Each structure stands twice: as C-alpha cells, then as structure tokens.
Amino acid sequence: MSQPNAARVSSYICLDQADSLKAEMSRSDWVKDERKRGEMNGGEAPFPFFLSRRLLQSQRSSSLLFIFLLLLSLFPLSILARPFVLVLSQDDLKDVQNDDASLLESDSSWDDDDFGGTHVKPDDELDPGSWRRLFEPSTTPISSSLDSYYTAVDKMISASTNGDARLMEEAAAEIETAANTEGDPHARSVLGFLYGMGMMRERNKAKNFLNHYFAAESGNAQSKMALAYTYSRQDMYEKAVKLYAELAEIAVNSFLISKDSPVIEPIRIHNGAEENKEALKKSRGEDDEDFQILEYQAQKGNAGAMYKMGLFYYFGLRGLRRDHSKALMWFLNAVDKGEPRSLELLGEIYARGAGVERNYTKALEWLSLASEHGLYSAYNGMGYLHVKGYGVEKNYTKAKEYFEKAADNDDAANAGQPKAFYQLAKMFHTGVGLKKNLPMATALYKLVAERGPWSSLSRWALESYLKGDMGKAFLLYTRMAELGYEIAQSNAAWILDKYGERSMCMGESGVCTDAERHQRAHSLWWQASEQGNEHAALLIGDAYYYGRGTVRDYERAAEAYIHAKSQSNAQAMFNLGYMHEHGQGLPFDLHLAKRYYDQALELDPAAKLPVMLALASLWVRKNYADSFLVRVIDSLPEVYPRVEAWVENVIMEEGNATILTLFVCLLTVLYLRERQHRHAVVAAGPHEPNEHIVPAAAAAR
C-alpha cells in the first residue's frame, strides 16, 4: 500500500516462456547423463509458469525514499502498446536519504535515452555481418571489404534453395578464404556454422568452437550468441552470463529503432507431428483473411480496428513488415474517431521520429493527452522528456512527480517485458536487490538476447517456408538453432523429418544422405529437448528405440520417454507401458504397464482405442502366458513392417499396381455379370424340365 510521498514498489513477473526458462534452471538427470556418456554426435501449448516475487520494499523515514518502480506483465504476442520503461542501474536499488530530486541529476542511468538518442546504433552496427541486406535490400552502402563475404553468403542461400551441391561447395570455399586469408570475422562466424552443422565440411566441434570464439572476439554478435549457448549447455554460467548480458544490452538498444518488433515471438511451424496451420495462417500478413476483414472494418470507420491496424504496422505483427508511416496514419485516424489508446503511441512515434520527423513538443502534447484519458503509463514518457530536457526545460522535480504517478497506478504494469527481464537479470547477476543467482540470470538474459536484431532470421525463415522454399527455410532455422533458439531447433528438425529430400539439407560432401538427415534431425531434436520441448524428447526416444540416426538402445529410449512423461506426455506414457509389457529397456512388469496405459488414457481420451487394445494384450499375456496367441502378438511388430514393405515394393510398384488394378476390374465385371444372371433366373421362376410353357394368349382361348 502506498504511503504519503513514497512510491509503491511491488512487482510481479509472469514468465510465459516457461519451457526455455525451466530447462535452463533445472535440467533433468537424463540430459546430464547423456552428456557424460559423450556418445551423441550432436548431442504445444506451452505449460504456463508463474514466478512472482516482491523485489523491493519502500519504507517511510524522516526524508523521502525514492526507489524506481519496475512493473511488468508479460503478454506474449499481445497487441498492447509497449509503454516507456526506465533502464535501471545499480544505484536505482540503493536507499537514498534525500528528499529532493537531486538523485535524478547524479544518476548516470539517465544518460540512456529510451527515445533513441545519439548513442543508439542502427541494426547493421548492432549485428555486424547480419544477412539482413540480402533479405531486405538497403540503400545504405556497405564496406567494400564485405563484398566477398556477402557474395559468398548469397551463393550459400541460393544453393540451399536449389539443392545445388556444387554452388554450395563454391560458397563454402569462398567463405573459408575470406575467414582464413582476409581475416573477416563474419566469414569466420559462418565458417564455424558450417563446421558445426557438417555442411560441405567435416563436422568438427573443435573447429566450430574456435571459429566462433575468434569471430566473437572480433565483435560478431551471432558468434557470441552461439558461444553463450554452448557455455550454458555445459553449465559454465560464469562465461555464459557475461556474454548473454552483453547481448541482452544490445537487444534492449535494438528495441528503440529496430524494424523488428520486440513483442514478436518466433512461430512454431509444427504442432507435434502435424503442421501448425492455425499459427501459420496468422503469419501471412496482408494475405491473411482475418487481417483483410480488420482492414475493411478500419476503412469503414471502426476506431478499434484502426487502432489495431496501427499496432500491427507499428510493431510488425501477424507477419506484416513494420511500417511506421502506415502506423502513424491509422493512429491519427483512430484518434479522430475518439480512440484514446492511440494517443500514447503517437507520443512515442513523435519522440522517436519513427516514420515522421522527430518532434519532442508534439510528443509531449500527445503523451499529456494520453495521461488525461487514464493511460498512466504515459507519465513514464513525460518523465523522460523532463529528465532529458527534450521539448521542455529539464525539471527533475516534475519528472519525479510523473514517475510517482505512473508508479501508483496499475496501468503501469503494461511495461515492456524485455526491458523488465533485462533489469531482473541484472539483479540476479549482480546480487543487488536479490540474491545472486547466475543460472537464473543466464536464463533471463537469454530470453532478452533472443529478441535482438539477429532474431530477424526467424521472420525470413518463416517467409521462406510459407513460400514453399524449404531449403532456404531449413538453412535459416539451422543458423538460428546454433544460436540457441529452441523453436528454430524443433522447426529445422521437423522440416528434415517431414520433407526429407525436399529440405535440401547439405551434408559433408553434397546433398544429405538419409543417414545424415536422420543424424542431424536427431541432434536438433536433442537440443530442443534439453530446453523443455516434450515432443522433442519423445522423438529422441523413438530414435533410440528404432535406431534412427543412432544405435538402437532400449535403455536410452526408456530414459527419453521418462523425460517426456515428466512433462505429461500421453504418448510417452503409452510407450513406457509397452516397454514394461515386453521387458524392453525396462523390467518386465505387467502391473506397471497397466498403470502407464491407464495414465495415458487419463491424459488423452483420444487414446482410448490403442489403450483398449494394449489392455486386451495384457489380459491375454497374463492369462495365456507362453501360448500361441501370445507368440502371435509378439510377432506383430516384426510382421507388420514386412507386410508394409511388401505392399509398398511389390503391390504398389507401378507395373504391378497396373496389372493388379486390371485384374480387380476383371473380377468385378465377372462378379457383376454372374450376379445379373442369377437375378434373371430368379425372376423367371421355377418350372419342370419337360413342362411346356403355354403362352398367355393361347390359354385365354
């Protein structure tokens, strides 16, 4: 409860990215055991997780205690506006004994301009060596020293699209030359990627690490992401947290001017074993039917639709390219129709100069109007303007007033989540305000860092996938996978499993063989499972059980299924029941088998038929042990693949299938003729052999 002249400082954090955070904080013994074995070559509706903690306590003393408010409520893929958030420094967490606003003058954190001052750099500087200019051509000239690098990367992307192994080999050779001869750090980063994935180079973890290490030392941000992820997988949090902290700071700065919205989440293109059609439908931008309906409503004068159109274009939501000019138009139209929520966004647009000439005076006017309409988070922006002296004279006392108004109102909870995660990570990292916790700091920094300018790879990959360019989509998702994005890892693996040769996967010496595809998919699913993807853990179990991409090992399959079962996966429970029933990798135990089958049915009612068949098999096995019927049941897993292969290779072979079709047609014709003949005989009725049938006309005489 707020006290007179004191800011209320209660903060609650809602972490929707539970899968990735839980995996970073508490990896299972199964994962760690697998790492120790060292035999691996490479290695949805999310379950909500809520973490709430009181961060600071304000106290009434003889003089004013001023502590900054950090409020956060995370709405993934929300279309809520992102209000302004102050970037905390360590000094913000210390008690002060001054009753004036002098601490605002001495606080160096105010040097950070949330509206995009001169310290803010464009994306090409924040993410040097980015592939952005290959997907989003820019008028900004590039250094001539990067010409060979971008030419080689462009060839690599084209080779992935066309499945051209010769062109890919040529691109890899040019990248290696640029890295080793010219010393280009960005080429070295891509070379590390090629060694890590085994693309036109022998898969070599040591060379992968060394190339990324030297590229990171020379400033390549994506190599820093790859290194940080590698360190975190090995629980080397001291090194991981240092890199992720640096990357998270870059990400926070990119939110100010980036063309990519910080609220965009990567799209999972699959939902278990099926394509995630609903999510993909919402990512088709202006081609989406729902978007077209919304646009029609906005054009007809619906204020709420105008506001949403502005948000979509301002943040680049629903697969749209970010367009500040269109956003400005829709927000202005919405204000004319009496929609107050657009006021705050207009203030931000003019303060940042996004799609319009920067004008702090107009920004203050719009923010003031927004605050008058009850949008109290606008006070944060007004406070910034008074602290920095933008559009008004510097006035720390008035700035303090505005921040307190924002702090004392619940609407301030709509703060931008990436920055709030960043501040919370700093607290866990430094131990200021919270107990020092490097694993937690690493996990939170990672969440923020993954929203940096390099996350544009996700949008380009999705666009390629929607256009049917599986090769390019796979290459981009694979690049993201190396940076530690769980969704990219599962998307890349799913493309390999779903599309096979159409994935245009490039191996060590050409297009991937079946073995290389299985191995690479296995490695990607493995990494995704480490980060909490239950479907990935299930597929890892299948890989060990059937020997796909690895040596068949029932014990490891059981461990993987147990890992998936811990995430309430019905299929994993059914598989564990089957393994107990047959004594494969687990002790032979019919009681445990029945328990797992029952649990699978409880979790997924759709599993009723297979569970009933499995329970019937259990009953037969229990009551007729060692009988012929049990042997028949046990032989089914071996017989079925043979029958399936025979049908595919013999019956479904083109020539045989044609002959079989003609034969079936012939039998059908003969059957129909015989049936017609029988009906004719029945219609004539019975008669004696020598009996003469007298015509009806003769009988009448």
Side-chain angles (χ1 to χ4, degrees), residues 443-455:
L444 289 170
Y445 276 139
K446 182 175 184 286
L447 291 177
V448 180
E450 287 182 346
R451 295 172 179 268
W454 38 85
S455 65

Side-chain angles (χ1 to χ4, degrees), residues 578-598:
Y578 184 88
M579 296 180 78
H580 272 299
E581 179 185 352
H582 294 83
Q584 295 177 332
L586 292 171
F588 177 80
D589 192 324
L590 299 183
H591 295 288
L592 274 178
K594 183 179 185 305
R595 182 183 301 175
Y596 278 123
Y597 288 144
D598 291 340

Side-chain angles (χ1 to χ4, degrees), residues 207-495:
K207 290 183 178 180
N208 163 259
F209 178 84
L210 286 174
N211 277 287
H212 278 310
Y213 179 84
F214 289 118
E217 287 291 305
S218 299
N220 186 277
Q222 294 190 27
S223 282
K224 291 179 182 179
M225 282 287 290
L227 278 181
Y229 175 58
T230 299
Y231 288 140
S232 66
R233 290 187 71 196
Q234 302 299 323
D235 297 338
M236 300 170 67
Y237 294 115
E238 288 282 355
K239 293 184 176 181
V241 77
K242 182 179 178 182
L243 284 171
Y244 273 135
E246 180 183 346
L247 293 161
E249 184 178 357
I250 294 174
V252 169
N253 286 332
S254 76
F255 299 158
L256 308 181
I257 59 171
S258 173
K259 294 180 182 179
D260 299 302
S261 168
V263 299
I264 288 181
E265 297 284 353
I267 300 297
R268 196 179 298 278
I269 62 177
H270 67 96
N271 185 8
E274 301 295 331
E275 188 176 64
N276 193 355
K277 294 182 179 179
E278 186 62 28
L280 294 175
K281 176 179 177 293
K282 294 179 179 179
S283 303
R284 295 186 182 275
E286 295 179 348
D287 295 331
D288 180 25
E289 183 179 345
D290 292 340
F291 175 82
Q292 293 171 358
I293 293 173
L294 181 69
E295 185 178 32
Y296 175 78
Q297 293 173 339
Q299 291 171 347
K300 289 297 183 181
N302 185 303
M306 292 176 178
Y307 170 68
K308 289 182 179 179
M309 288 290 293
L311 286 177
F312 286 168
Y313 279 114
Y314 186 73
F315 289 117
L317 301 174
R318 303 291 287 268
L320 291 173
R321 287 293 177 92
R322 200 168 185 181
D323 191 323
H324 289 144
S325 298
K326 287 185 178 180
L328 176 64
M329 177 194 73
W330 285 117
F331 285 141
L332 288 171
N333 291 343
V335 167
D336 290 341
K337 291 290 184 178
E339 168 55 63
R341 292 175 294 175
S342 298
L343 295 169
E344 185 178 5
L345 272 299
L346 286 170
E348 180 177 353
I349 284 174
Y350 277 103
R352 297 184 189 279
V356 69
E357 186 178 352
R358 180 174 290 184
N359 189 321
Y360 292 117
T361 303
K362 282 190 176 182
L364 184 60
E365 291 175 1
W366 287 117
L367 291 171
S368 299
L369 285 172
S371 65
E372 291 172 8
H373 282 79
L375 298 170
Y376 290 92
S377 54
Y379 282 118
N380 272 323
M382 296 167 67
Y384 275 112
L385 294 178
H386 282 83
V387 165
K388 300 296 293 184
Y390 289 157
V392 293
E393 291 186 5
K394 285 188 178 182
N395 189 325
Y396 296 109
T397 302
K398 185 165 280 191
K400 179 174 69 69
E401 261 177 52
Y402 288 139
F403 286 131
E404 286 181 346
K405 285 183 180 181
D408 286 332
N409 199 284
D410 289 338
D411 279 0
N414 291 334
Q417 71 259 20
K419 288 186 178 180
F421 280 152
Y422 177 62
Q423 303 308 335
L424 188 59
K426 285 172 67 176
M427 295 176 191
F428 281 117
H429 184 194
T430 60
V432 177
L434 291 172
K435 184 178 179 181
K436 189 171 183 178
N437 187 329
L438 291 185
M440 177 67 82
T442 301
L444 289 170
Y445 276 139
K446 182 175 184 286
L447 291 177
V448 180
E450 287 182 346
R451 295 172 179 268
W454 38 85
S455 65
S456 296
L457 288 163
S458 175
R459 190 183 69 238
W460 305 329
L462 181 61
E463 289 176 355
S464 301
Y465 181 83
L466 292 174
K467 292 176 182 177
D469 191 342
M470 299 304 161
K472 186 186 293 184
F474 174 70
L475 177 72
L476 294 171
Y477 278 132
T478 304
R479 175 63 166 173
M480 283 190 76
E482 189 185 39
L483 307 188
Y485 288 82
E486 181 274 317
I487 288 182
Q489 291 163 354
S490 64
N491 282 352
W494 190 81
I495 289 175

Side-chain angles (χ1 to χ4, degrees), residues 18-35 40 42-44 229 233 268 270 446 481 484-491 493-494 520-544 556-557 559-567 569:
D19 291 339
S20 57
L21 184 59
K22 286 192 295 182
E24 291 291 342
M25 294 307 304
S26 56
R27 297 195 179 125
S28 66
D29 292 337
W30 164 67
V31 172
K32 292 185 178 179
D33 289 342
E34 285 298 318
R35 288 189 190 151
M40 292 296 300
E44 137 163 285
Y229 175 58
R233 290 187 71 196
R268 196 179 298 278
H270 67 96
K446 182 175 184 286
Y485 288 82
E486 181 274 317
I487 288 182
Q489 291 163 354
S490 64
N491 282 352
W494 190 81
R520 192 169 297 179
H522 182 73
S523 174
L524 289 164
W525 284 126
W526 178 267
Q527 294 174 54
S529 71
E530 287 183 348
Q531 301 196 69
N533 186 317
E534 66 175 60
H535 181 68
L538 183 67
L539 289 176
I540 289 294
D542 289 346
Y544 278 127
R556 291 194 186 183
E559 291 172 355
Y561 290 143
I562 290 172
H563 180 64
K565 184 211 72 157
S566 67
Q567 298 168 329
N569 186 291

